[in-house]
Amino acid sequence: MNKNGADASDFLPWYREGLRFECTGCGGCCTGSEGYVWVSDDEIAGIAKDLGLEIDDFGKRYLRRVGNSKYALLEDRSTGDCVFLFGRRCMIYDVRPKQCRTFPFWAENLKSKKNWEAAAEECEGISEDAPLHTFEEIERNLD
Ligand code: SF4
Ligand code: SF4
């Protein structure tokens, strides 16, 4: 406790006790309204390699350029499905981009309890029955 009577833990975010989540593989976050699944150069190289494609080929088939230098995965304009979503399964699960690996622990969802509850309406894996992710684990996702 400091001289003002505050504990160090008083300055930690609202989710300092951790949050409960376990992906059910429902595919809900891979579809829906228009959005961007951003991919870095390293991720592009990793996914292309996994699929046995040259980077140029991979780009032509699966990427869209946004602005001058950013890339996102293609999506079906009518359904909003990510190009790699087949049925409810991600076809590149082991090499999926960080944006996918870290959902729902995104800064915008963690901004407030209200935002987290809004995310829970879209993601069935956020549940009181799911395993607890510690504060430290959650913070690592934000790096
Ligand atoms: S919406 Fe949630 S539970 Fe469903 S696939 Fe995405 S992260 Fe998993
Ligand atoms: S890459 Fe996989 S996990 Fe990410 S949005 Fe597409 S289907 Fe979903």
Side-chain angles (χ1 to χ4, degrees), residues 21-33:
F21 165 73
E22 183 170 47
C23 183
T24 64
C26 73
C29 57
C30 310
T31 186
S33 53

Side-chain angles (χ1 to χ4, degrees), residues 15-62:
Y15 52 87
R16 55 184 167 273
E17 303 296 335
L19 290 167
R20 293 189 178 274
F21 165 73
E22 183 170 47
C23 183
T24 64
C26 73
C29 57
C30 310
T31 186
S33 53
E34 199 184 343
Y36 296 99
V37 179
W38 300 110
V39 273
S40 67
D41 290 349
D42 284 350
E43 288 169 341
I44 290 169
I47 301 167
K49 187 174 174 211
D50 191 66
L51 296 174
L53 293 173
E54 295 297 326
I55 289 180
D56 278 357
D57 253 4
F58 173 77
K60 282 181 200 142
R61 287 164 69 168
Y62 298 114

Side-chain angles (χ1 to χ4, degrees), residues 3-114:
K3 63 183 179 183
N4 299 319
D7 258 315
S9 64
D10 290 344
F11 299 102
L12 292 174
W14 66 272
Y15 52 87
R16 55 184 167 273
E17 303 296 335
L19 290 167
R20 293 189 178 274
F21 165 73
E22 183 170 47
C23 183
T24 64
C26 73
C29 57
C30 310
T31 186
S33 53
E34 199 184 343
Y36 296 99
V37 179
W38 300 110
V39 273
S40 67
D41 290 349
D42 284 350
E43 288 169 341
I44 290 169
I47 301 167
K49 187 174 174 211
D50 191 66
L51 296 174
L53 293 173
E54 295 297 326
I55 289 180
D56 278 357
D57 253 4
F58 173 77
K60 282 181 200 142
R61 287 164 69 168
Y62 298 114
L63 294 179
R64 55 182 162 154
R65 189 171 177 158
V66 185
N68 285 335
S69 55
K70 292 182 81 176
Y71 290 92
L73 299 181
L74 284 176
E75 65 180 26
D76 183 309
R77 285 208 177 142
S78 59
T79 61
D81 285 1
C82 171
V83 67
F84 288 115
L85 183 68
F86 284 81
R88 287 170 30 144
R89 285 196 57 220
C90 172
M91 301 310 287
I92 57 163
Y93 192 79
D94 290 340
V95 288
R96 67 200 188 285
K98 181 179 180 189
Q99 181 176 332
C100 308
R101 282 185 281 113
T102 56
F103 184 81
F105 298 111
W106 292 352
E108 66 200 74
N109 293 338
L110 295 169
K111 225 176 196 168
S112 66
K113 193 160 189 281
K114 196 172 155 208

